Amino acid sequence: MEYFSTRSQQDRVTAAQAIAQGLAPDGGLFLPEEFPALSQSDLEELTGMNDIDRYCKVLGLYLTDFAPEEIRRCVLAAYGEGFDSERIAPISKLDEQDYILELWHGPTCAFKDMALQLLPHLMTAAMRIVGEKRTAVILAATSGDTGKAALEGFCDVPQTKVMVFYPQDGVSTMQKLQMQTQQGGNVQVTAVQGNFDDAQTGVKAIFGDAQMARRMEECGAFLTSANSMNWGRLLPQIVYYISAYCQLVADEEIALGDVIDICVPTGNFGNILAGYYAKRMGLPLGRLVCASNENHVLTDFLRTGDYDRNRPFYATNSPSMDILVSSNLERLLWHLLGQDGLVRERMQQLAGCGEYTIPAQALAQLQREFAGYYCGEAGTLAAIRRVFERYSYLLDTHTAVAYDCACQYRSQTGSDRKMLILSTASPYKFPESVASALGIDLAGKEGLALCEEIARRTGAPIPAPLAALGEKPLRFSEEIPCSRMAEHVLRFARQ
Ligand SMILES: *Cc1c(COP(=O)(O)O)cnc(C)c1O
């Protein structure tokens, strides 16, 4: 199967090239030329398989230039020991209608692990296939979850180094502790004096610096990123939708062919887009409910067809969804507008005046597939409390946003379909918010101490990787001004 860019259809590349390159040379995102169809009998076959076999089978449909043994090796390395549950992504049933797909049983307790545990293995396999001999230096600025997941995913993976910058005061206590205690011989973590935007701007400047590229070349390295614009990060996400559906069939919660709805807490639009791709492959999914927080640029877009980032930015209690420019929407636009020229035009408008509109016909098509809802901060805490009181089940803030939006969708549309709600983080990554939702007195506690208090009150176990943080030595406590980021990257590349 070949891949092309959302901004020009001329150049075709293989899967290995798309993954090794990350972004297309014209700045666009890679898309597969087709979505392989899953028939009823394919789904039946997948239903009879275990998780690992399902993952290998679906990945193989897209990674046609990878040998099947290579794919299996990657899948086993990614989802083996690092996951604490018997299933890679277990499903919890709240009641006859609502099911929670837990995507946070990996080593960093957030759903980013689902893709970032696999991507490093896909990337090094892809580098072998295309004959890339240089070391990939993965550079990331993070507001919390992505940085830790990238560090853990690339930790000690040969021919790679990973370097993460986080804003000194811009990540949660647990997230900071997770990064400062990172192990591995090829990693580095640095706090920068400034906010997330400062760190992000610093990283972008380094990527755009031609002299930096030459210096990297001199030490046999090249810079690359691990964000969700890389096809290798989106693909693993398609797989878990298919696997979850098969699991519901295997568990006799639904019959093969039954249509279910999904609800996804959304930021960069990567997760929900993967759901849309699973649907295009023939998975019986109904509406894709896109859940947002107070930064509801996507809700407005799905309702009006007008994307407008000119609005205040709110730092909320679901920080991984605090995003005003959802990069993966560019892929969806390509499917709606069908012509690369029209996508390029919209992206230029977004970069220029921060706004674009899609035609009425495209909007109608969009609304057939997606529905948008949002939930504010108070509603998020209320949802955590309501679900705990009713089902003794503890949600994190991001999943709580999705739960609330799923309820809104059902009451507004009268839908009686079963709903799969995607759960993107362990509640113990955000203990301050969860405790206040449950009415637990913080009493000056934070981080791990607060996790223990929540566990004592609720009986929900703290995931082992978080519980173990207290015993790990702090390895990285360096703090630098943004002006020194480039020099830091070079020194690390040369080590
Ligand atoms: C990244 C993230 C999201 C948003 O996912 P997208 O693919 O960017 O839409 C939601 N919740 C959590 C906890 C995350 O880490």
Side-chain angles (χ1 to χ4, degrees), residues 110-112 145-146 228 233 237 265-272 320-321 323 396 398 424-425 430:
F111 104 100
K112 303 286 190 295
D145 288 338
T146 303
S228 58
R233 238 189 95 175
Q237 302 184 351
T266 298
N268 241 332
F269 211 77
N271 198 357
I272 195 168
S320 299
M321 298 158 74
I323 287 178
D396 94 290
H398 304 77
T424 49
F430 306 96

mmCIF file with all atom_site columns, all heavy atoms in Angstrom, residues 110-112 145-146 228 233 237 265-272 320-321 323 396 398 424-425 430, ligand 1:
data_model
loop_
_atom_site.group_PDB
_atom_site.id
_atom_site.type_symbol
_atom_site.label_atom_id
_atom_site.label_alt_id
_atom_site.label_comp_id
_atom_site.label_asym_id
_atom_site.label_entity_id
_atom_site.label_seq_id
_atom_site.pdbx_PDB_ins_code
_atom_site.Cartn_x
_atom_site.Cartn_y
_atom_site.Cartn_z
_atom_site.occupancy
_atom_site.B_iso_or_equiv
_atom_site.pdbx_formal_charge
_atom_site.auth_seq_id
_atom_site.auth_comp_id
_atom_site.auth_asym_id
_atom_site.auth_atom_id
_atom_site.pdbx_PDB_model_num
ATOM   1   N N   . ALA A 1 110 ? -1.340  6.718  30.572 1.00 0.00 ? 110 ALA A N   1
ATOM   2   C CA  . ALA A 1 110 ? -2.176  7.557  29.709 1.00 0.00 ? 110 ALA A CA  1
ATOM   3   C C   . ALA A 1 110 ? -2.271  6.881  28.348 1.00 0.00 ? 110 ALA A C   1
ATOM   4   O O   . ALA A 1 110 ? -1.443  6.034  28.003 1.00 0.00 ? 110 ALA A O   1
ATOM   5   C CB  . ALA A 1 110 ? -1.591  8.958  29.558 1.00 0.00 ? 110 ALA A CB  1
ATOM   6   N N   . PHE A 1 111 ? -3.267  7.264  27.564 1.00 0.00 ? 111 PHE A N   1
ATOM   7   C CA  . PHE A 1 111 ? -3.517  6.531  26.317 1.00 0.00 ? 111 PHE A CA  1
ATOM   8   C C   . PHE A 1 111 ? -2.415  6.728  25.280 1.00 0.00 ? 111 PHE A C   1
ATOM   9   O O   . PHE A 1 111 ? -2.305  5.949  24.339 1.00 0.00 ? 111 PHE A O   1
ATOM   10  C CB  . PHE A 1 111 ? -4.896  6.906  25.758 1.00 0.00 ? 111 PHE A CB  1
ATOM   11  C CG  . PHE A 1 111 ? -4.888  7.830  24.586 1.00 0.00 ? 111 PHE A CG  1
ATOM   12  C CD1 . PHE A 1 111 ? -5.043  7.345  23.292 1.00 0.00 ? 111 PHE A CD1 1
ATOM   13  C CD2 . PHE A 1 111 ? -4.727  9.190  24.760 1.00 0.00 ? 111 PHE A CD2 1
ATOM   14  C CE1 . PHE A 1 111 ? -5.032  8.191  22.204 1.00 0.00 ? 111 PHE A CE1 1
ATOM   15  C CE2 . PHE A 1 111 ? -4.716  10.043 23.675 1.00 0.00 ? 111 PHE A CE2 1
ATOM   16  C CZ  . PHE A 1 111 ? -4.875  9.545  22.388 1.00 0.00 ? 111 PHE A CZ  1
ATOM   17  N N   . LYS A 1 112 ? -1.564  7.742  25.467 1.00 0.00 ? 112 LYS A N   1
ATOM   18  C CA  . LYS A 1 112 ? -0.449  7.943  24.538 1.00 0.00 ? 112 LYS A CA  1
ATOM   19  C C   . LYS A 1 112 ? 0.429   6.695  24.428 1.00 0.00 ? 112 LYS A C   1
ATOM   20  O O   . LYS A 1 112 ? 1.071   6.467  23.419 1.00 0.00 ? 112 LYS A O   1
ATOM   21  C CB  . LYS A 1 112 ? 0.424   9.122  24.980 1.00 0.00 ? 112 LYS A CB  1
ATOM   22  C CG  . LYS A 1 112 ? -0.295  10.446 25.142 1.00 0.00 ? 112 LYS A CG  1
ATOM   23  C CD  . LYS A 1 112 ? -0.646  11.070 23.810 1.00 0.00 ? 112 LYS A CD  1
ATOM   24  C CE  . LYS A 1 112 ? -1.139  12.508 23.924 1.00 0.00 ? 112 LYS A CE  1
ATOM   25  N NZ  . LYS A 1 112 ? -2.411  12.680 24.656 1.00 0.00 ? 112 LYS A NZ  1
ATOM   26  N N   . ASP A 1 145 ? 1.603   14.566 29.188 1.00 0.00 ? 145 ASP A N   1
ATOM   27  C CA  . ASP A 1 145 ? 1.473   13.142 28.849 1.00 0.00 ? 145 ASP A CA  1
ATOM   28  C C   . ASP A 1 145 ? 2.374   12.679 27.707 1.00 0.00 ? 145 ASP A C   1
ATOM   29  O O   . ASP A 1 145 ? 2.961   11.602 27.759 1.00 0.00 ? 145 ASP A O   1
ATOM   30  C CB  . ASP A 1 145 ? 0.014   12.826 28.485 1.00 0.00 ? 145 ASP A CB  1
ATOM   31  C CG  . ASP A 1 145 ? -0.886  12.847 29.700 1.00 0.00 ? 145 ASP A CG  1
ATOM   32  O OD1 . ASP A 1 145 ? -0.377  12.681 30.821 1.00 0.00 ? 145 ASP A OD1 1
ATOM   33  O OD2 . ASP A 1 145 ? -2.104  13.022 29.529 1.00 0.00 ? 145 ASP A OD2 1
ATOM   34  N N   . THR A 1 146 ? 2.475   13.475 26.652 1.00 0.00 ? 146 THR A N   1
ATOM   35  C CA  . THR A 1 146 ? 3.230   13.025 25.478 1.00 0.00 ? 146 THR A CA  1
ATOM   36  C C   . THR A 1 146 ? 4.702   12.824 25.798 1.00 0.00 ? 146 THR A C   1
ATOM   37  O O   . THR A 1 146 ? 5.305   11.831 25.387 1.00 0.00 ? 146 THR A O   1
ATOM   38  C CB  . THR A 1 146 ? 3.106   14.056 24.330 1.00 0.00 ? 146 THR A CB  1
ATOM   39  O OG1 . THR A 1 146 ? 1.726   14.229 24.062 1.00 0.00 ? 146 THR A OG1 1
ATOM   40  C CG2 . THR A 1 146 ? 3.805   13.575 23.089 1.00 0.00 ? 146 THR A CG2 1
ATOM   41  N N   . SER A 1 228 ? 1.480   13.273 16.916 1.00 0.00 ? 228 SER A N   1
ATOM   42  C CA  . SER A 1 228 ? 0.474   12.433 16.261 1.00 0.00 ? 228 SER A CA  1
ATOM   43  C C   . SER A 1 228 ? 0.284   12.778 14.785 1.00 0.00 ? 228 SER A C   1
ATOM   44  O O   . SER A 1 228 ? -0.633  12.280 14.144 1.00 0.00 ? 228 SER A O   1
ATOM   45  C CB  . SER A 1 228 ? -0.857  12.511 17.008 1.00 0.00 ? 228 SER A CB  1
ATOM   46  O OG  . SER A 1 228 ? -1.313  13.835 17.068 1.00 0.00 ? 228 SER A OG  1
ATOM   47  N N   . ARG A 1 233 ? 1.920   6.850  14.471 1.00 0.00 ? 233 ARG A N   1
ATOM   48  C CA  . ARG A 1 233 ? 1.261   7.048  15.755 1.00 0.00 ? 233 ARG A CA  1
ATOM   49  C C   . ARG A 1 233 ? -0.241  6.901  15.641 1.00 0.00 ? 233 ARG A C   1
ATOM   50  O O   . ARG A 1 233 ? -0.923  6.544  16.586 1.00 0.00 ? 233 ARG A O   1
ATOM   51  C CB  . ARG A 1 233 ? 1.598   8.426  16.323 1.00 0.00 ? 233 ARG A CB  1
ATOM   52  C CG  . ARG A 1 233 ? 2.251   8.285  17.683 1.00 0.00 ? 233 ARG A CG  1
ATOM   53  C CD  . ARG A 1 233 ? 2.395   9.604  18.362 1.00 0.00 ? 233 ARG A CD  1
ATOM   54  N NE  . ARG A 1 233 ? 1.276   9.867  19.260 1.00 0.00 ? 233 ARG A NE  1
ATOM   55  C CZ  . ARG A 1 233 ? 1.223   10.915 20.042 1.00 0.00 ? 233 ARG A CZ  1
ATOM   56  N NH1 . ARG A 1 233 ? 2.199   11.813 20.033 1.00 0.00 ? 233 ARG A NH1 1
ATOM   57  N NH2 . ARG A 1 233 ? 0.200   11.104 20.834 1.00 0.00 ? 233 ARG A NH2 1
ATOM   58  N N   . GLN A 1 237 ? -3.758  3.273  16.773 1.00 0.00 ? 237 GLN A N   1
ATOM   59  C CA  . GLN A 1 237 ? -5.025  3.660  17.378 1.00 0.00 ? 237 GLN A CA  1
ATOM   60  C C   . GLN A 1 237 ? -6.221  3.089  16.612 1.00 0.00 ? 237 GLN A C   1
ATOM   61  O O   . GLN A 1 237 ? -7.272  2.835  17.196 1.00 0.00 ? 237 GLN A O   1
ATOM   62  C CB  . GLN A 1 237 ? -5.107  5.185  17.476 1.00 0.00 ? 237 GLN A CB  1
ATOM   63  C CG  . GLN A 1 237 ? -3.939  5.729  18.306 1.00 0.00 ? 237 GLN A CG  1
ATOM   64  C CD  . GLN A 1 237 ? -4.009  7.226  18.526 1.00 0.00 ? 237 GLN A CD  1
ATOM   65  O OE1 . GLN A 1 237 ? -4.819  7.925  17.938 1.00 0.00 ? 237 GLN A OE1 1
ATOM   66  N NE2 . GLN A 1 237 ? -3.144  7.715  19.369 1.00 0.00 ? 237 GLN A NE2 1
ATOM   67  N N   . PRO A 1 265 ? -12.735 11.671 24.235 1.00 0.00 ? 265 PRO A N   1
ATOM   68  C CA  . PRO A 1 265 ? -12.228 12.952 24.737 1.00 0.00 ? 265 PRO A CA  1
ATOM   69  C C   . PRO A 1 265 ? -11.125 13.442 23.808 1.00 0.00 ? 265 PRO A C   1
ATOM   70  O O   . PRO A 1 265 ? -10.116 12.765 23.635 1.00 0.00 ? 265 PRO A O   1
ATOM   71  C CB  . PRO A 1 265 ? -11.672 12.607 26.123 1.00 0.00 ? 265 PRO A CB  1
ATOM   72  C CG  . PRO A 1 265 ? -11.438 11.138 26.124 1.00 0.00 ? 265 PRO A CG  1
ATOM   73  C CD  . PRO A 1 265 ? -12.333 10.529 25.081 1.00 0.00 ? 265 PRO A CD  1
ATOM   74  N N   . THR A 1 266 ? -11.332 14.603 23.193 1.00 0.00 ? 266 THR A N   1
ATOM   75  C CA  . THR A 1 266 ? -10.518 14.975 22.040 1.00 0.00 ? 266 THR A CA  1
ATOM   76  C C   . THR A 1 266 ? -9.683  16.229 22.256 1.00 0.00 ? 266 THR A C   1
ATOM   77  O O   . THR A 1 266 ? -10.137 17.198 22.859 1.00 0.00 ? 266 THR A O   1
ATOM   78  C CB  . THR A 1 266 ? -11.458 15.167 20.821 1.00 0.00 ? 266 THR A CB  1
ATOM   79  O OG1 . THR A 1 266 ? -12.101 13.922 20.557 1.00 0.00 ? 266 THR A OG1 1
ATOM   80  C CG2 . THR A 1 266 ? -10.689 15.588 19.592 1.00 0.00 ? 266 THR A CG2 1
ATOM   81  N N   . GLY A 1 267 ? -8.435  16.171 21.752 1.00 0.00 ? 267 GLY A N   1
ATOM   82  C CA  . GLY A 1 267 ? -7.555  17.330 21.769 1.00 0.00 ? 267 GLY A CA  1
ATOM   83  C C   . GLY A 1 267 ? -7.044  17.600 20.370 1.00 0.00 ? 267 GLY A C   1
ATOM   84  O O   . GLY A 1 267 ? -7.555  18.441 19.637 1.00 0.00 ? 267 GLY A O   1
ATOM   85  N N   . ASN A 1 268 ? -6.054  16.817 19.973 1.00 0.00 ? 268 ASN A N   1
ATOM   86  C CA  . ASN A 1 268 ? -5.459  16.980 18.643 1.00 0.00 ? 268 ASN A CA  1
ATOM   87  C C   . ASN A 1 268 ? -6.214  16.242 17.539 1.00 0.00 ? 268 ASN A C   1
ATOM   88  O O   . ASN A 1 268 ? -5.780  16.208 16.403 1.00 0.00 ? 268 ASN A O   1
ATOM   89  C CB  . ASN A 1 268 ? -4.018  16.482 18.678 1.00 0.00 ? 268 ASN A CB  1
ATOM   90  C CG  . ASN A 1 268 ? -3.047  17.580 18.331 1.00 0.00 ? 268 ASN A CG  1
ATOM   91  O OD1 . ASN A 1 268 ? -3.403  18.513 17.600 1.00 0.00 ? 268 ASN A OD1 1
ATOM   92  N ND2 . ASN A 1 268 ? -1.839  17.487 18.823 1.00 0.00 ? 268 ASN A ND2 1
ATOM   93  N N   . PHE A 1 269 ? -7.334  15.601 17.880 1.00 0.00 ? 269 PHE A N   1
ATOM   94  C CA  . PHE A 1 269 ? -8.191  14.886 16.929 1.00 0.00 ? 269 PHE A CA  1
ATOM   95  C C   . PHE A 1 269 ? -7.558  13.599 16.396 1.00 0.00 ? 269 PHE A C   1
ATOM   96  O O   . PHE A 1 269 ? -7.993  13.040 15.398 1.00 0.00 ? 269 PHE A O   1
ATOM   97  C CB  . PHE A 1 269 ? -8.559  15.805 15.744 1.00 0.00 ? 269 PHE A CB  1
ATOM   98  C CG  . PHE A 1 269 ? -9.911  15.498 15.146 1.00 0.00 ? 269 PHE A CG  1
ATOM   99  C CD1 . PHE A 1 269 ? -11.067 15.905 15.789 1.00 0.00 ? 269 PHE A CD1 1
ATOM   100 C CD2 . PHE A 1 269 ? -10.024 14.804 13.952 1.00 0.00 ? 269 PHE A CD2 1
ATOM   101 C CE1 . PHE A 1 269 ? -12.312 15.618 15.247 1.00 0.00 ? 269 PHE A CE1 1
ATOM   102 C CE2 . PHE A 1 269 ? -11.272 14.506 13.399 1.00 0.00 ? 269 PHE A CE2 1
ATOM   103 C CZ  . PHE A 1 269 ? -12.408 14.928 14.049 1.00 0.00 ? 269 PHE A CZ  1
ATOM   104 N N   . GLY A 1 270 ? -6.504  13.087 17.070 1.00 0.00 ? 270 GLY A N   1
ATOM   105 C CA  . GLY A 1 270 ? -5.872  11.853 16.606 1.00 0.00 ? 270 GLY A CA  1
ATOM   106 C C   . GLY A 1 270 ? -6.711  10.623 16.947 1.00 0.00 ? 270 GLY A C   1
ATOM   107 O O   . GLY A 1 270 ? -6.991  9.777  16.091 1.00 0.00 ? 270 GLY A O   1
ATOM   108 N N   . ASN A 1 271 ? -7.125  10.550 18.195 1.00 0.00 ? 271 ASN A N   1
ATOM   109 C CA  . ASN A 1 271 ? -7.839  9.384  18.673 1.00 0.00 ? 271 ASN A CA  1
ATOM   110 C C   . ASN A 1 271 ? -9.158  9.179  17.917 1.00 0.00 ? 271 ASN A C   1
ATOM   111 O O   . ASN A 1 271 ? -9.430  8.106  17.379 1.00 0.00 ? 271 ASN A O   1
ATOM   112 C CB  . ASN A 1 271 ? -8.081  9.580  20.176 1.00 0.00 ? 271 ASN A CB  1
ATOM   113 C CG  . ASN A 1 271 ? -8.416  8.297  20.893 1.00 0.00 ? 271 ASN A CG  1
ATOM   114 O OD1 . ASN A 1 271 ? -8.536  7.235  20.282 1.00 0.00 ? 271 ASN A OD1 1
ATOM   115 N ND2 . ASN A 1 271 ? -8.571  8.381  22.200 1.00 0.00 ? 271 ASN A ND2 1
ATOM   116 N N   . ILE A 1 272 ? -9.968  10.222 17.838 1.00 0.00 ? 272 ILE A N   1
ATOM   117 C CA  . ILE A 1 272 ? -11.276 10.077 17.190 1.00 0.00 ? 272 ILE A CA  1
ATOM   118 C C   . ILE A 1 272 ? -11.132 9.851  15.689 1.00 0.00 ? 272 ILE A C   1
ATOM   119 O O   . ILE A 1 272 ? -11.918 9.131  15.070 1.00 0.00 ? 272 ILE A O   1
ATOM   120 C CB  . ILE A 1 272 ? -12.202 11.282 17.508 1.00 0.00 ? 272 ILE A CB  1
ATOM   121 C CG1 . ILE A 1 272 ? -13.655 10.945 17.151 1.00 0.00 ? 272 ILE A CG1 1
ATOM   122 C CG2 . ILE A 1 272 ? -11.729 12.550 16.828 1.00 0.00 ? 272 ILE A CG2 1
ATOM   123 C CD1 . ILE A 1 272 ? -14.672 11.929 17.687 1.00 0.00 ? 272 ILE A CD1 1
ATOM   124 N N   . SER A 1 320 ? -4.866  17.825 28.869 1.00 0.00 ? 320 SER A N   1
ATOM   125 C CA  . SER A 1 320 ? -4.445  17.234 27.592 1.00 0.00 ? 320 SER A CA  1
ATOM   126 C C   . SER A 1 320 ? -5.418  17.554 26.462 1.00 0.00 ? 320 SER A C   1
ATOM   127 O O   . SER A 1 320 ? -5.171  17.214 25.309 1.00 0.00 ? 320 SER A O   1
ATOM   128 C CB  . SER A 1 320 ? -4.277  15.725 27.728 1.00 0.00 ? 320 SER A CB  1
ATOM   129 O OG  . SER A 1 320 ? -3.287  15.451 28.698 1.00 0.00 ? 320 SER A OG  1
ATOM   130 N N   . MET A 1 321 ? -6.546  18.176 26.799 1.00 0.00 ? 321 MET A N   1
ATOM   131 C CA  . MET A 1 321 ? -7.492  18.583 25.762 1.00 0.00 ? 321 MET A CA  1
ATOM   132 C C   . MET A 1 321 ? -7.518  20.099 25.599 1.00 0.00 ? 321 MET A C   1
ATOM   133 O O   . MET A 1 321 ? -8.371  20.631 24.895 1.00 0.00 ? 321 MET A O   1
ATOM   134 C CB  . MET A 1 321 ? -8.897  18.093 26.133 1.00 0.00 ? 321 MET A CB  1
ATOM   135 C CG  . MET A 1 321 ? -8.973  16.584 26.206 1.00 0.00 ? 321 MET A CG  1
ATOM   136 S SD  . MET A 1 321 ? -10.346 16.035 27.221 1.00 0.00 ? 321 MET A SD  1
ATOM   137 C CE  . MET A 1 321 ? -11.705 16.406 26.103 1.00 0.00 ? 321 MET A CE  1
ATOM   138 N N   . ILE A 1 323 ? -6.470  22.531 23.720 1.00 0.00 ? 323 ILE A N   1
ATOM   139 C CA  . ILE A 1 323 ? -5.840  22.719 22.417 1.00 0.00 ? 323 ILE A CA  1
ATOM   140 C C   . ILE A 1 323 ? -6.774  23.536 21.525 1.00 0.00 ? 323 ILE A C   1
ATOM   141 O O   . ILE A 1 323 ? -7.978  23.277 21.501 1.00 0.00 ? 323 ILE A O   1
ATOM   142 C CB  . ILE A 1 323 ? -5.569  21.341 21.762 1.00 0.00 ? 323 ILE A CB  1
ATOM   143 C CG1 . ILE A 1 323 ? -4.404  20.652 22.478 1.00 0.00 ? 323 ILE A CG1 1
ATOM   144 C CG2 . ILE A 1 323 ? -5.275  21.453 20.272 1.00 0.00 ? 323 ILE A CG2 1
ATOM   145 C CD1 . ILE A 1 323 ? -4.067  19.284 21.955 1.00 0.00 ? 323 ILE A CD1 1
ATOM   146 N N   . ASP A 1 396 ? -11.008 9.531  35.304 1.00 0.00 ? 396 ASP A N   1
ATOM   147 C CA  . ASP A 1 396 ? -10.103 10.681 35.320 1.00 0.00 ? 396 ASP A CA  1
ATOM   148 C C   . ASP A 1 396 ? -10.855 11.870 34.708 1.00 0.00 ? 396 ASP A C   1
ATOM   149 O O   . ASP A 1 396 ? -11.969 11.708 34.188 1.00 0.00 ? 396 ASP A O   1
ATOM   150 C CB  . ASP A 1 396 ? -8.809  10.373 34.546 1.00 0.00 ? 396 ASP A CB  1
ATOM   151 C CG  . ASP A 1 396 ? -8.901  10.841 33.115 1.00 0.00 ? 396 ASP A CG  1
ATOM   152 O OD1 . ASP A 1 396 ? -9.670  10.214 32.359 1.00 0.00 ? 396 ASP A OD1 1
ATOM   153 O OD2 . ASP A 1 396 ? -8.263  11.845 32.746 1.00 0.00 ? 396 ASP A OD2 1
ATOM   154 N N   . HIS A 1 398 ? -10.381 13.656 31.942 1.00 0.00 ? 398 HIS A N   1
ATOM   155 C CA  . HIS A 1 398 ? -10.613 13.624 30.492 1.00 0.00 ? 398 HIS A CA  1
ATOM   156 C C   . HIS A 1 398 ? -11.756 12.679 30.145 1.00 0.00 ? 398 HIS A C   1
ATOM   157 O O   . HIS A 1 398 ? -12.634 12.993 29.338 1.00 0.00 ? 398 HIS A O   1
ATOM   158 C CB  . HIS A 1 398 ? -9.339  13.205 29.765 1.00 0.00 ? 398 HIS A CB  1
ATOM   159 C CG  . HIS A 1 398 ? -8.171  14.091 30.087 1.00 0.00 ? 398 HIS A CG  1
ATOM   160 N ND1 . HIS A 1 398 ? -7.491  13.990 31.274 1.00 0.00 ? 398 HIS A ND1 1
ATOM   161 C CD2 . HIS A 1 398 ? -7.599  15.110 29.407 1.00 0.00 ? 398 HIS A CD2 1
ATOM   162 C CE1 . HIS A 1 398 ? -6.537  14.901 31.302 1.00 0.00 ? 398 HIS A CE1 1
ATOM   163 N NE2 . HIS A 1 398 ? -6.583  15.607 30.190 1.00 0.00 ? 398 HIS A NE2 1
ATOM   164 N N   . THR A 1 424 ? -8.928  7.829  28.617 1.00 0.00 ? 424 THR A N   1
ATOM   165 C CA  . THR A 1 424 ? -7.583  8.143  28.139 1.00 0.00 ? 424 THR A CA  1
ATOM   166 C C   . THR A 1 424 ? -6.526  8.291  29.232 1.00 0.00 ? 424 THR A C   1
ATOM   167 O O   . THR A 1 424 ? -5.354  8.435  28.909 1.00 0.00 ? 424 THR A O   1
ATOM   168 C CB  . THR A 1 424 ? -7.615  9.432  27.297 1.00 0.00 ? 424 THR A CB  1
ATOM   169 O OG1 . THR A 1 424 ? -8.335  10.430 28.008 1.00 0.00 ? 424 THR A OG1 1
ATOM   170 C CG2 . THR A 1 424 ? -8.269  9.183  25.956 1.00 0.00 ? 424 THR A CG2 1
ATOM   171 N N   . ALA A 1 425 ? -6.914  8.290  30.491 1.00 0.00 ? 425 ALA A N   1
ATOM   172 C CA  . ALA A 1 425 ? -5.879  8.382  31.528 1.00 0.00 ? 425 ALA A CA  1
ATOM   173 C C   . ALA A 1 425 ? -6.365  7.739  32.818 1.00 0.00 ? 425 ALA A C   1
ATOM   174 O O   . ALA A 1 425 ? -7.570  7.677  33.094 1.00 0.00 ? 425 ALA A O   1
ATOM   175 C CB  . ALA A 1 425 ? -5.496  9.839  31.799 1.00 0.00 ? 425 ALA A CB  1
ATOM   176 N N   . PHE A 1 430 ? -4.216  12.612 37.862 1.00 0.00 ? 430 PHE A N   1
ATOM   177 C CA  . PHE A 1 430 ? -4.752  13.942 38.183 1.00 0.00 ? 430 PHE A CA  1
ATOM   178 C C   . PHE A 1 430 ? -5.411  13.916 39.561 1.00 0.00 ? 430 PHE A C   1
ATOM   179 O O   . PHE A 1 430 ? -6.604  14.231 39.699 1.00 0.00 ? 430 PHE A O   1
ATOM   180 C CB  . PHE A 1 430 ? -5.732  14.375 37.083 1.00 0.00 ? 430 PHE A CB  1
ATOM   181 C CG  . PHE A 1 430 ? -5.115  14.317 35.710 1.00 0.00 ? 430 PHE A CG  1
ATOM   182 C CD1 . PHE A 1 430 ? -5.290  13.203 34.903 1.00 0.00 ? 430 PHE A CD1 1
ATOM   183 C CD2 . PHE A 1 430 ? -4.305  15.347 35.260 1.00 0.00 ? 430 PHE A CD2 1
ATOM   184 C CE1 . PHE A 1 430 ? -4.676  13.118 33.654 1.00 0.00 ? 430 PHE A CE1 1
ATOM   185 C CE2 . PHE A 1 430 ? -3.686  15.271 34.016 1.00 0.00 ? 430 PHE A CE2 1
ATOM   186 C CZ  . PHE A 1 430 ? -3.867  14.163 33.216 1.00 0.00 ? 430 PHE A CZ  1
HETATM 187 C C1  . LIG B 2 .   ? -3.595  13.278 24.337 1.00 0.00 ? 1   LIG B C1  1
HETATM 188 C C2  . LIG B 2 .   ? -4.759  13.085 25.237 1.00 0.00 ? 1   LIG B C2  1
HETATM 189 C C3  . LIG B 2 .   ? -6.080  13.327 24.803 1.00 0.00 ? 1   LIG B C3  1
HETATM 190 C C4  . LIG B 2 .   ? -6.410  13.873 23.424 1.00 0.00 ? 1   LIG B C4  1
HETATM 191 O O1  . LIG B 2 .   ? -6.187  12.934 22.390 1.00 0.00 ? 1   LIG B O1  1
HETATM 192 P P1  . LIG B 2 .   ? -6.088  13.426 20.865 1.00 0.00 ? 1   LIG B P1  1
HETATM 193 O O2  . LIG B 2 .   ? -5.689  12.214 20.106 1.00 0.00 ? 1   LIG B O2  1
HETATM 194 O O3  . LIG B 2 .   ? -5.014  14.486 20.863 1.00 0.00 ? 1   LIG B O3  1
HETATM 195 O O4  . LIG B 2 .   ? -7.409  13.957 20.469 1.00 0.00 ? 1   LIG B O4  1
HETATM 196 C C5  . LIG B 2 .   ? -7.124  13.072 25.687 1.00 0.00 ? 1   LIG B C5  1
HETATM 197 N N1  . LIG B 2 .   ? -6.878  12.642 26.942 1.00 0.00 ? 1   LIG B N1  1
HETATM 198 C C6  . LIG B 2 .   ? -5.620  12.417 27.404 1.00 0.00 ? 1   LIG B C6  1
HETATM 199 C C7  . LIG B 2 .   ? -5.433  11.972 28.812 1.00 0.00 ? 1   LIG B C7  1
HETATM 200 C C8  . LIG B 2 .   ? -4.518  12.619 26.574 1.00 0.00 ? 1   LIG B C8  1
HETATM 201 O O5  . LIG B 2 .   ? -3.278  12.394 27.048 1.00 0.00 ? 1   LIG B O5  1
#
